[in-house]
Amino acid sequence: MSRRAEPSREDIERLVAAARSVRRRAYAPYSGFHVGAAVLAEGRIYRGANLENASYPLSVCAERNAVAAAVAAGRRRIEAVAVVAGDEEPTPPCGGCRQVLHEFGPGMLVVSETTAGRRARWRLDELLPAAFEASSFVRP
Ligand code: THU
């Protein structure tokens, strides 16, 4: 997949604001850890919040719900993801979400902000080097 142009500062600010606002809709009664995420896909923003379940392993992270919203809208090229959570340090996407994000934008920008406004940024390929991907296996 080709590298995309760097998202503008304005796009990044809109993305972080979208993640911050959707965090209010998180359903996280078990962990109490509310997370909002937003992806920038082909110039549009799609949002997701974490969604937990009484059967704990069925819970889904905010990032994966945002990816699902983009794909359901027909957008498969993700340029950036923003995450907002309430920890003291910016929350990086979990390993499973890194893998799912990689499928739709291996070079994407990852921005994470705390509710207090502390921000970190990475490239996804720094967070998930040597990723397993479509070219990693031969289809029958
Ligand atoms: N969680 C996310 O939604 N995104 C992350 O990047 C880290 C973790 C959720 C999963 C679970 O609902 C809660 O945070 C605690 O792990």
Side-chain angles (χ1 to χ4, degrees):
M1 201 176 292
S2 63
R3 279 199 176 257
R4 318 288 312 162
E6 190 72 15
S8 67
R9 275 172 73 132
E10 201 176 64
D11 279 342
I12 293 168
E13 295 313 315
R14 284 171 53 228
L15 200 60
V16 172
R20 186 176 286 276
S21 78
V22 73
R23 177 177 174 273
R24 293 195 294 262
R25 307 238 173 92
Y27 178 72
Y30 304 105
S31 72
F33 192 62
H34 294 213
V35 185
V39 296
L40 179 69
E42 302 172 35
R44 291 176 182 249
I45 289 177
Y46 299 92
R47 309 192 297 173
N50 56 332
L51 187 158
E52 298 185 347
N53 191 270
S55 176
Y56 290 8
L58 298 181
S59 301
V60 183
C61 293
E63 294 91 324
R64 268 176 282 164
N65 283 328
V67 169
V71 172
R75 319 267 171 202
R76 296 182 178 176
R77 288 191 300 274
I78 298 179
E79 292 112 41
V81 59
V83 180
V84 173
D87 200 4
E88 281 185 13
E89 294 299 324
T91 297
C94 79
C97 287
R98 295 178 196 193
Q99 179 70 29
V100 170
L101 289 164
H102 177 87
E103 188 81 14
F104 300 103
M108 79 175 70
L109 177 67
V110 179
V111 181
S112 182
E113 191 171 273
T114 67
T115 46
R118 184 186 286 240
R119 193 177 285 191
R121 52 191 283 168
W122 308 269
R123 309 240 43 131
L124 184 59
D125 46 24
E126 285 178 67
L127 297 178
L128 188 67
F132 183 77
E133 57 190 10
S135 64
S136 307
F137 63 101
V138 178
R139 288 173 208 74

